[in-house]
Amino acid sequence: MNFDLSPAWISIKVTLTATVIVFFLGLITAWLMTKYNGRWKGLIDGILTLPLVLPPTVAGFGILLLIGNNGPVGKFLEIFGVNIIFSWYAAVIAAIVVAFPLMYKTTMGAFEQIDPNILSAARTLGASEAKVFWRVAVPVARPGIAAATALTFARCLGEFGATLMVAGSIPGKTETIPIAIYFATQGGEMQVALIWVLIIFAISLTVLVINNYWESRKKNQQRGFGG
């Protein structure tokens, strides 16, 4: 049995990079949408959440239209000799697109649970909007943000459809664990596929268990302080 560990390292690299980017994008977007009450809020929220309900292949097709060799971004980057398609950068972009709605919606839900009086008190004391966000809203919503980050990490790790369309399956370059599972199964290498299934299962479960433990510990500490 020939077992190559490169899909694991590629998955970790792609997942960590995408999770960090989605964390900040989702955090800021969720805060802005929480404050925004304009007439277009429903439409904007729908667009931002759309990748959550669309098939990943549709998201991948959209990314191809944008950053492919014939897409506007792809043509612009080609001027500088940069080609994103079929690189690990494309895998990162695919993971960002499909995981962003999870971070955005979960975090926005956490922000909406904050008592408005807390935010108003901070503003009354002279805190700028940036300080209200980073020093009041984010700490108060921390459990929800942590849960959103854990879900985002797991979603990025398990991304398959969009990644296959924009990054392909190049061994040692763009072949992530889900893609390795798919092609190992197609090639009849069931033992290899099973090993990868167990690895990704263990990683995802570990992240979720750690997050649940952290949330439980925080709740117990708050109850202790309350008592």
Side-chain angles (χ1 to χ4, degrees), residues 6-227:
S6 64
W9 309 127
I10 295 169
S11 285
I12 291 172
K13 180 171 65 172
V14 168
T15 299
L16 290 177
T17 304
T19 300
V20 170
I21 296 173
V22 171
F23 175 83
F24 288 103
L25 284 178
L27 201 65
I28 294 171
T29 306
W31 177 246
L32 293 175
M33 287 298 293
T34 301
K35 295 171 59 181
Y36 176 66
N37 292 308
R39 61 186 297 184
W40 302 106
K41 183 171 183 176
L43 177 61
I44 297 172
D45 181 74
I47 293 172
L48 293 173
T49 313
L50 199 57
L52 189 63
V53 296
L54 286 176
T57 49
V58 174
F61 182 75
I63 297 170
L64 274 177
L65 291 179
L66 187 64
I67 67 173
N69 295 332
N70 296 319
V73 177
K75 286 182 177 180
F76 175 76
L77 293 176
E78 193 175 5
I79 298 174
F80 305 97
V82 177
N83 183 24
I84 297 179
I85 293 298
F86 299 120
S87 69
W88 79 276
Y89 299 107
V92 170
I93 293 172
I96 289 172
V97 170
V98 298
F100 172 82
L102 279 175
M103 185 71 198
Y104 160 68
K105 290 297 286 187
T106 308
T107 303
M108 190 165 71
F111 283 148
E112 289 174 343
Q113 296 299 315
I114 299 175
D115 186 349
N117 294 324
I118 298 176
L119 303 177
S120 298
R123 295 187 181 100
T124 302
L125 293 173
S128 64
E129 285 301 314
K131 286 186 177 180
V132 170
F133 174 61
W134 288 111
R135 297 189 179 182
V136 181
V138 170
V140 172
R142 188 177 298 168
I145 295 172
T149 306
L151 291 173
T152 297
F153 180 91
R155 184 65 187 88
C156 289
L157 183 65
E159 167 49 31
F160 171 73
T163 301
L164 186 60
M165 289 194 69
V166 301
S169 177
I170 305 173
K173 188 178 180 181
T174 65
E175 187 181 43
T176 59
I177 294 178
I179 293 175
I181 293 172
Y182 175 77
F183 282 102
T185 304
Q186 292 295 307
E189 298 178 330
M190 302 305 291
Q191 288 184 331
V192 174
L194 178 60
I195 292 173
W196 283 125
V197 167
L198 294 176
I199 289 174
I200 198 170
F201 179 86
I203 295 173
S204 299
L205 183 61
T206 299
V207 170
L208 295 176
V209 168
I210 291 174
N211 177 71
N212 291 338
Y213 172 77
W214 184 82
E215 284 187 8
S216 176
R217 186 175 179 182
K218 283 291 182 181
K219 288 180 181 178
N220 291 334
Q221 288 177 349
Q222 290 173 356
R223 289 172 184 169
F225 290 141

